């Protein structure tokens, strides 16, 4: 990690790359770990001494007892889920008191946002986005329409109550009458306000002061580049900027303060929900990836769609986020394959596309140009150094480096926090 700069971990594909494990490793050197966007639609699993911790809203840096964690202004927060996640993880031995903070500018997600999320998906029918139904999109819509409520509003109760009631009325005008206990919700949020107060900070000053004082700050990206609302497969995306630009906006820091940017690349490709997926495998190989890789969403439990590595996605991701180095995860999932394919280019009407097309009608119709590489057909889960990897596994890593133009610095070969090979980078 570069000193006196904010170091960032970002997903390079459609999410579920295994960012949490790298954050956990880097957090051992960090003083502050921060989330900048998304909500509890994200999901990271960390295994520490055989204990599995699932993080959705809380920064996964909490698994390291030496650093503090910050939920930034760009995050949308569902308070019932926030407190439940704290309780679950503390029951497993995690300590959050005095180590977890939340921005007073963070937007709040209410149960009515989650109800509206479900209504929207039903209304879209077969064109539904496949959201997590966590209310994230409607909460960001409230933010953009300037009708949202932020954490600080909890401490000006007359204004909070007035705006809350108005928001419910307006939602019912827009979506029709739905069952909602306004008085019960207000009573709960009055209680939440008192419970939340020890966690609340003015986050912009908090994080910039940390940087200025020489503390090491690590930012944990949520979701991934192909789910970015501008650069992903719109409209089958999340509702925030999951790229490097979202880090600055979601924490209130200057681009000049960004140091190393680490891209996390799963050794194959997965996505959850609807939307185009050019290298998707609807065959035995896809089932094999899903089974061996245990590809079920941490947040939704939904089966993930699986396919070969997509070089077009990786080049697009690299161009936008400009990664310093790469963490390839789940390489061991490919251990039993005789051959492994990589989608190198998209062809549309016989011509190679030079970039990621914004038009999904085109993306749905592209023909993928593949290369085939030999598998290594041996268990790599016990490998602890790059030199121990089979030759064909090294060639696969080298091909990823060639595609992205930056070095691979870490290679995941298993689920545990120690199952990560550190590769020397010049």
């Amino acid at each position: 990690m570069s000193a006196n700069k904010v170091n960032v971990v970002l997903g390079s594909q459609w999410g579920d790359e295994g960012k949490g494990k790298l954050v956990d490793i880097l957090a051992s050197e960090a003083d502050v770990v921060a989330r900048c966007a998304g909500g509890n639609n994200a999901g990271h699993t960390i295994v520490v001494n055989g204990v599995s911790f699932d993080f959705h809203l809380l920064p996964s840096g909490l698994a390291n007892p030496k650093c503090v964690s910050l939920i930034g202004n760009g995050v949308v927060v569902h308070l019932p889920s926030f407190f439940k996640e704290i309780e679950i993880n503390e029951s497993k031995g995690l300590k959050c008191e005095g180590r977890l903070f939340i921005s007073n500018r963070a937007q709040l997600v209410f149960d009515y946002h989650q109800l509206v999320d479900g209504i929207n998906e039903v209304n879209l029918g077969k064109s539904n986005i496949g959201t997590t139904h966590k209310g994230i999109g409607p909460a960001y819509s409230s933010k953009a329409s300037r009708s949202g409520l932020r954490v600080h509003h909890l401490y000006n109760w007359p204004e909070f109550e007035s705006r809350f009631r108005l928001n419910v009325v307006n939602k019912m005008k827009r979506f029709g009458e739905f069952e909602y206990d306004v008085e019960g919700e207000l009573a709960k949020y009055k209680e939440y306000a008192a419970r939340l107060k020890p966690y609340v900070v003015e986050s912009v000053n908090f994080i910039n002061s940390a940087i200025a004082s020489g503390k090491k700050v690590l930012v944990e990206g949520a979701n991934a580049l192909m789910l970015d609302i501008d650069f992903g497969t719109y409209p089958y995306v999340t509702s925030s900027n999951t790229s490097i630009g979202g880090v600055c906006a979601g924490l209130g820091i200057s681009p000049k303060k960004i140091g190393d940017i680490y891209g996390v690349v799963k050794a194959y490709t997965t996505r959850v929900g609807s939307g185009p997926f050019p290298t998707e495998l609807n065959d035995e190989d896809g089932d094999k990836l899903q089974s061996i890789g245990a590809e079920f969403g941490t947040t939704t439990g939904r089966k993930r769609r699986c396919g070969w590595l997509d070089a077009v996605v990786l080049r697009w991701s690299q161009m936008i986020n400009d990664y310093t180095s790469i963490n390839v995860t789940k390489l061991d999932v490919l251990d039993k394959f005789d051959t492994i394919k990589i989608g190198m280019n998209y062809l549309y009407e016989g011509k190679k596309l030079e970039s990621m097309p914004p038009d999904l009608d085109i993306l749905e119709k592209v023909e993928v140009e593949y290369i085939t590489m030999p598998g290594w057909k041996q268990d790599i889960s016990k490998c602890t150094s790059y030199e121990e990897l089979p030759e064909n596994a090294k060639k696969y890593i080298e091909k990823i480096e060639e595609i992205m133009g930056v070095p691979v610095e870490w290679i995941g070969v298993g689920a545990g926090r120690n199952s990560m090979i550190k590769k020397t980078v010049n």
Side-chain angles (χ1 to χ4, degrees):
M1 288 172 56
S2 56
N4 301 315
K5 294 280 187 179
V6 174
N7 300 279
V8 183
V9 175
L10 296 173
S12 65
Q13 295 152 300
W14 274 285
D16 306 308
E17 298 92 351
K19 298 177 289 293
K21 192 198 293 188
L22 181 60
V23 171
D24 181 42
I25 289 168
L26 294 175
S28 65
E29 304 174 31
D31 300 301
V32 181
V33 176
R35 280 275 310 272
C36 61
N40 61 326
N41 58 335
H44 298 156
T45 300
I46 304 293
V47 181
V48 183
N49 298 325
V51 181
S52 180
F53 297 99
D54 289 335
F55 295 99
H56 301 278
L57 182 58
L58 307 185
S60 52
L62 276 170
N64 188 296
K66 295 180 182 177
C67 67
V68 299
S69 290
L70 173 69
I71 296 172
N73 60 275
V75 180
V76 291
V77 180
H78 183 242
L79 288 181
S81 300
F82 173 81
F83 289 119
K84 183 178 179 181
E85 194 171 328
I86 289 174
E87 288 167 11
I88 290 171
N89 284 304
E90 285 190 333
S91 73
K92 297 179 180 180
L94 200 69
K95 302 298 181 188
C96 297
E97 187 178 350
R99 300 181 52 233
L100 175 62
F101 302 98
I102 183 170
S103 173
N104 56 8
R105 286 179 165 83
Q107 295 276 331
L108 294 171
V109 182
F110 297 103
D111 287 356
Y112 63 70
H113 288 125
Q114 297 184 342
L115 288 167
V116 166
D117 206 350
I119 293 168
N120 279 334
E121 287 288 89
V122 170
N123 289 343
L124 286 168
K126 291 182 179 179
S127 300
N128 72 80
I129 305 301
T131 76
T132 58
H133 289 204
K134 300 292 185 182
I136 307 304
Y140 276 116
S141 293
S142 292
K143 178 180 180 178
S145 66
R146 300 173 299 282
S147 62
L149 287 161
R150 306 199 292 188
V151 167
H152 67 84
H153 286 119
L154 288 166
Y155 305 105
N156 181 350
W157 189 255
E159 182 184 7
F160 178 89
E161 181 178 355
S162 172
R163 292 181 59 172
F164 184 91
R165 291 182 186 280
L166 180 61
N167 283 348
V168 174
V169 169
N170 287 337
K171 289 287 181 289
M172 289 186 180
K173 285 180 182 177
R174 169 68 178 83
F175 296 98
E177 293 287 326
F178 51 83
E179 191 174 331
Y180 197 72
D181 183 2
V182 173
E183 302 308 321
E185 286 295 290
L186 284 169
K188 281 198 295 186
Y189 272 86
K190 189 165 260 190
E191 179 190 331
Y192 289 150
R195 287 178 65 188
L196 187 67
K197 200 157 192 177
Y199 299 96
V200 178
V201 295
E202 201 297 284
S203 61
V204 178
N205 184 63
F206 180 96
I207 196 150
N208 280 283
S209 295
I211 299 164
S213 65
K215 290 183 177 177
K216 290 183 178 179
V217 177
L218 178 66
V219 176
E220 173 183 3
N223 310 120
L225 190 279
M226 294 306 294
L227 294 173
D228 185 277
I229 195 165
D230 288 303
F231 306 116
T233 47
Y234 184 89
Y236 299 98
V237 292
T238 192
S239 300
S240 59
N241 286 112
T242 58
S243 55
I244 189 63
V247 174
C248 298
L251 288 168
I253 56 174
S254 163
K256 293 179 181 179
K257 293 175 181 175
I258 301 293
D260 291 329
I261 305 168
Y262 306 119
V264 183
V265 175
K266 190 179 286 187
Y268 48 101
T269 310
T270 62
R271 79 171 299 176
V272 171
S274 307
F277 184 173
T279 64
E280 184 172 12
L281 292 166
N282 295 304
D283 58 13
E284 287 183 11
D285 283 334
D287 291 340
K288 194 172 174 181
L289 287 170
Q290 199 280 327
S291 176
I292 298 171
E295 293 296 349
F296 294 90
T298 304
T299 298
T300 62
R302 287 182 292 182
K303 183 178 177 180
R304 295 176 186 141
R305 300 156 63 192
C306 297
W308 297 122
L309 192 66
D310 189 326
V312 181
V313 166
L314 297 187
R315 289 192 293 264
W316 177 246
S317 184
Q318 176 64 33
M319 179 162 58
I320 292 165
N321 285 334
D322 199 12
Y323 306 115
T324 311
S325 63
I326 299 299
N327 170 202
V328 174
T329 63
K330 303 189 86 164
L331 187 66
D332 56 303
V333 173
L334 302 177
D335 284 354
K336 296 182 180 180
F337 286 83
D338 294 314
T339 58
I340 300 162
K341 291 185 178 181
I342 300 177
M344 294 300 291
N345 297 296
Y346 295 163
L347 303 178
Y348 179 68
E349 296 181 344
K351 296 181 181 178
K352 187 175 87 169
L353 297 179
E354 295 302 321
S355 187
M356 183 65 63
D359 189 334
L360 298 197
D361 287 339
I362 292 175
L363 192 58
E364 290 277 15
K365 296 172 185 174
V366 296
E367 178 187 345
V368 181
E369 191 174 67
Y370 288 97
I371 61 168
T372 302
M373 301 187 71
W376 42 93
K377 296 291 287 183
Q378 66 185 82
D379 183 1
I380 64 170
S381 63
K382 301 296 189 292
C383 294
T384 57
S385 70
Y386 186 67
E387 290 68 33
E388 291 176 34
L389 288 174
E391 203 58 38
N392 286 345
K394 291 180 189 175
K395 287 179 180 177
Y396 191 74
I397 294 297
E398 288 164 7
K399 177 57 70 173
I400 293 173
E401 291 179 323
E402 179 188 314
I403 289 166
M404 301 189 74
V406 288
V408 170
E409 190 168 355
W410 297 273
I411 303 160
V413 294
R417 78 191 313 187
N418 296 322
S419 301
M420 186 83 85
I421 292 170
K422 179 75 163 67
K423 179 172 166 281
T424 302
V425 174
N426 296 326

